[in-house]
Amino acid sequence: MLADWQVPSVNSPRKQLDERFARAFAAAFPDLEPEGDLVVAASNPQHGDYQCNQALALARQLKSRPRDIAAKVLKQLDVTDLCEAPEIAGPGFVNLTLRPGFLAQQVAERVGDPRLGVDPAPARTLVIDYSSPNAAKPMHVGHIRSTVIGDALARTLRFVGHQVIADNHLGDWGTQFGQLIVGWRDFADHDALAKRPMEEIKRVYQAVKEREEQDPAFKERVRQELVALQGGAPEQTAIWEELIALSRRYSENIYQRLGVQFDVWHGESFYNSMLAEVVTDLENRGIAREDQGAVVVFFDTPTDPPNLKPLLIRKSDGAYLYGTTDLAAIKYRVDTWNADLLVYVTDGRQQDHFKQVFQTARKWGYTQQSLEHVWFGTIQGEDRKPYKTREGDTPDLLALLDEAEERALAIVREKQPHLSPELQQRVARVVGLGAVKYFDLSQARTSDYVFSWDKMLAMNGNTAPYMQYAFVRINSILEKCGIDPATLCGPLTLDDPAERSLARAALELGDAIEETAATYRPNVLTTFLYEVASQFSTFYERCPVLAADEAVRTSRLTLCRLVARTLELGLSLLGIETLPRM
Ligand code: ARG
């Protein structure tokens, strides 16, 4: 969780009321420290916009009747500029109805602001380690999650005001390179490598594995090549470099299609020269010790969490491990960039690994930095097992992106036959890739989810196509109005309940960003955007915009502008493109 100073200070109407209530509670009950949000959305819109339920929550602690508590707080509460006179209802709820003028003024103030009224937080330096696939292996469907969640968090935290370093910690070092070097020599078709590198690498790797099982001498050759590579032999190093370059070109292609960028690609091999020193240093400080020839960090002091398994940092044959590299990377990131916060986006199976690494880092002295493992669940097929193709393979990410675009194209062709083929292609790309990303981001991060083309491409519901079309609809109103949308800034009159609900929803952008940043949960942002888009639908059904009288028309157009900008900004923080027309 980010500390308070790491997220933007939010000034939505709800938050402003919340702060007033906090002050009133403090004045009425000085010893009390109420927890959580004091003001929440009204459960029934007929009772107002917001409500405060704290009087009920605190009744037992204060040994007093909720209605009396509420009355005492209201005596201290000054909200006349924000809302109508608060009402105590039922057993002790306080109902709050915003003044239409206040809501109108809030919309007018924010609609033209480049940041839509969301103030930046004091800048800190964050490193986000995401995607990080194993080089020389095709990326598969599972890599979507780390790539897409990591990218959304990087974008959001940048918008929040932090200096974000996006680091692709490629698995570019490991025993598979022994096999690949022999494969390169014996089996590789270098034409195929140039044309379809990853398919060819995969084929070669399989061929080596098969041969190894039958031929012990061959297996020994593989081992020797690995030893040579690890010892820095020039020939083996040159082959390894070529393999890495090919696999990097392959993943760059995927990132380009997904619109994902990294600031640095410090793969595991980047840290090789630092590993020996890390181990020696941990040994010298008594954090690691020798155990049967290996070097191990034991978590057996009173300050260590219980039941944490020891972390092996050097094997008895002298080889270093995944965790050793992660420790070197922590040192590097803090020494080089002065990072305040290190975030790692991987699947849930690595939870123990990061607990061990983080605890070691704390013992090592990295106590001022926050270390966060942002983990996610698996993608499953309809059978609730890890998602597989009909042939039973793990779906290749590139093929999956192609399929997303093809499926979207079929829909666009059917629904929009009048569009030019080029535009249909473009729409299909934006909608298809957006659908895959949005579907992933809209899931509760730590849950598993079932991959479904039909659900992610649905035109209705909490999907990318729905959000993207909502944006297009609003845009088309703004295009038809004959006024430059950039000049629309009120004045507003928000008399219809649908206008009020829409304005209120859109003004909570900052709250959604704050919570997304603080909990590393992009689905907070998708839920917010879906709420705004749904409220827009209701508004649009009830409230004519272009046909309204001059004053109402200006007001509603301004509201439309706020909504369009909110959707566009929100989707962009998730890495999802919009088109003005489609
Ligand atoms: N390469 C690893 C994998 O594919 C993920 C690396 C995550 N980052 C890290 N610093 N350990 O599982």
Side-chain angles (χ1 to χ4, degrees):
M1 187 91 165
L2 287 178
D4 284 350
W5 47 261
Q6 286 166 312
V7 293
S9 62
V10 166
N11 54 3
S12 63
R14 189 198 64 77
K15 194 72 181 214
Q16 295 180 48
L17 282 169
D18 203 280
E19 279 157 12
R20 301 280 175 99
F21 266 85
R23 261 180 267 156
F25 264 101
F29 302 101
D31 302 330
L32 202 67
E33 279 182 23
E35 271 172 31
D37 288 336
L38 303 181
V39 174
V40 295
S43 53
N44 178 349
Q46 286 182 340
H47 297 156
D49 298 303
Y50 298 103
Q51 62 190 60
C52 172
N53 306 333
Q54 287 294 319
L56 285 114
L58 296 168
R60 184 175 304 174
Q61 189 184 341
L62 292 171
K63 295 194 182 66
S64 176
R65 286 179 39 222
R67 288 189 72 99
D68 297 341
I69 300 174
K72 229 174 141 182
V73 172
L74 289 194
K75 271 216 185 88
Q76 303 292 335
L77 184 75
D78 179 11
V79 286
T80 36
D81 50 334
L82 311 182
C83 55
E84 315 288 358
E87 277 171 22
I88 302 176
F93 304 107
V94 179
N95 289 333
L96 302 158
T97 303
L98 294 174
R99 280 180 187 278
F102 169 67
L103 205 50
Q105 166 236 327
Q106 294 284 300
V107 174
E109 258 175 32
R110 284 162 209 228
V111 68
D113 175 7
R115 295 182 55 93
L116 287 173
V118 183
D119 293 332
R124 288 292 188 278
T125 303
L126 323 182
V127 178
I128 308 192
D129 174 323
Y130 61 97
S131 194
S132 310
N134 291 328
K137 281 196 191 148
M139 286 171 77
H140 58 76
V141 58
H143 291 113
I144 289 182
R145 301 216 72 185
S146 177
T147 308
V148 166
I149 296 171
D151 180 56
L153 294 176
R155 289 170 187 265
T156 304
L157 289 162
R158 249 181 218 130
F159 177 79
V160 162
H162 298 305
Q163 197 209 331
V164 173
I165 299 161
D167 190 352
N168 195 358
H169 188 83
L170 282 183
D172 61 357
W173 196 251
T175 52
Q176 80 270 29
F177 286 98
Q179 275 111 356
L180 287 170
I181 290 171
V182 176
W184 175 278
R185 296 189 198 277
D186 290 15
F187 300 120
D189 168 347
H190 289 265
D191 256 6
L193 269 182
K195 288 197 197 104
R196 298 177 310 276
M198 212 33 86
E199 274 169 51
E200 181 59 5
I201 289 177
K202 195 173 157 189
R203 190 190 66 78
V204 165
Y205 187 69
Q206 285 307 335
V208 175
K209 291 285 256 190
E210 274 166 34
R211 183 73 186 275
E212 268 186 319
E213 276 171 27
Q214 299 148 5
D215 183 350
F218 184 85
K219 199 166 174 180
E220 176 55 22
R221 241 184 90 206
V222 168
R223 202 189 63 81
Q224 281 170 8
E225 294 284 20
L226 181 65
V227 171
L229 175 67
Q230 287 169 338
E235 204 195 326
Q236 283 77 0
T237 304
I239 298 176
W240 170 80
E241 275 169 359
E242 292 220 36
L243 283 164
I244 297 301
L246 286 173
S247 104
R248 179 161 169 163
R249 211 183 313 146
Y250 159 88
S251 13
E252 258 165 1
N253 177 24
I254 291 183
Y255 296 139
Q256 200 192 348
R257 278 183 70 178
L258 288 173
V260 170
Q261 280 179 354
F262 295 93
D263 300 298
V264 289
W265 292 57
H266 290 168
E268 292 178 17
S269 67
F270 178 81
Y271 302 98
N272 282 351
S273 63
M274 310 171 202
L275 302 180
E277 215 182 292
V278 167
V279 173
T280 318
D281 194 32
L282 289 170
E283 278 189 291
N284 288 345
R285 291 168 192 255
I287 298 163
R289 59 180 191 258
E290 229 186 275
D291 186 60
Q292 299 169 39
V295 181
V296 182
V297 179
F298 290 95
F299 305 105
D300 48 11
T301 71
T303 53
D304 288 318
N307 305 327
L308 193 55
K309 287 202 209 78
L311 177 69
L312 185 61
I313 56 173
R314 202 181 69 201
K315 291 206 247 176
S316 52
D317 66 3
Y320 301 106
L321 296 99
Y322 183 48
T324 327
T325 307
D326 266 327
L327 289 168
I330 291 176
K331 178 169 163 53
Y332 177 87
R333 288 165 180 175
V334 174
D335 287 356
T336 312
W337 297 313
N338 209 355
D340 303 293
L341 169 64
L342 307 180
V343 179
Y344 299 80
V345 187
T346 82
D347 73 53
R349 288 170 302 184
Q350 299 199 32
Q351 287 178 82
D352 284 343
H353 168 76
F354 283 106
K355 280 189 194 134
Q356 296 168 318
V357 167
F358 292 173
Q359 183 61 12
T360 307
R362 285 186 202 106
K363 287 152 103 67
W364 201 12
Y366 296 96
T367 51
Q368 298 307 303
Q369 294 73 22
S370 307
L371 304 166
E372 279 301 335
H373 183 210
V374 173
W375 60 274
F376 49 80
T378 52
I379 304 183
Q380 303 177 325
E382 303 284 353
D383 58 1
R384 286 255 158 211
K385 300 215 180 89
Y387 184 54
K388 292 265 154 63
T389 59
R390 231 170 274 140
E391 294 73 40
D393 296 328
T394 305
D396 175 69
L397 189 46
L398 214 45
L400 194 104
L401 299 183
D402 288 342
E403 186 168 350
E405 289 188 32
E406 278 158 26
R407 284 176 181 262
L409 186 61
I411 298 174
V412 177
R413 282 205 182 118
E414 190 200 312
K415 297 230 152 111
Q416 315 269 58
H418 55 281
L419 294 184
S420 71
E422 296 77 48
L423 192 53
Q424 284 177 337
Q425 287 280 356
R426 194 155 156 232
V427 172
R429 187 183 65 76
V430 169
V431 172
L433 299 180
V436 173
K437 287 183 168 193
Y438 191 95
F439 193 61
D440 192 289
L441 295 168
S442 62
Q443 312 289 330
R445 175 168 51 74
T446 51
S447 308
D448 299 338
Y449 75 82
V450 175
F451 191 88
S452 161
W453 287 115
D454 291 342
K455 282 196 187 137
M456 68 181 74
L457 286 164
M459 299 299 298
N460 271 314
N462 189 10
T463 66
Y466 177 75
M467 303 301 305
Q468 288 166 324
Y469 273 102
F471 177 75
V472 168
R473 252 159 83 209
I474 306 168
N475 229 42
S476 104
I477 301 170
L478 293 172
E479 275 180 8
K480 284 192 203 125
C481 76
I483 306 171
D484 175 5
T487 62
L488 286 167
C489 55
L492 294 100
T493 44
L494 304 170
D495 293 332
D496 192 285
E499 293 175 295
R500 295 173 58 87
S501 301
L502 177 57
R504 216 175 46 211
L507 290 172
E508 285 183 9
L509 172 70
D511 302 64
I513 292 176
E514 174 190 49
E515 199 182 331
T516 303
T519 61
Y520 308 100
R521 289 184 185 274
N523 71 323
V524 173
L525 203 46
T526 58
T527 304
F528 160 79
L529 292 171
Y530 183 51
E531 171 70 15
V532 174
S534 310
Q535 294 286 356
F536 176 78
S537 256
T538 314
F539 157 81
Y540 193 56
E541 274 161 32
R542 286 177 54 112
C543 307
V545 179
L546 295 173
D549 292 344
E550 175 77 34
V552 176
R553 190 169 181 265
T554 305
S555 169
R556 291 186 176 163
L557 283 168
T558 306
L559 191 52
C560 286
R561 182 184 175 212
L562 178 74
V563 174
R565 292 204 52 215
T566 304
L567 295 183
E568 191 176 27
L569 176 66
L571 289 170
S572 81
L573 296 181
L574 298 171
I576 297 191
E577 280 182 70
T578 45
L579 290 170
R581 247 161 281 135
M582 56 188 208

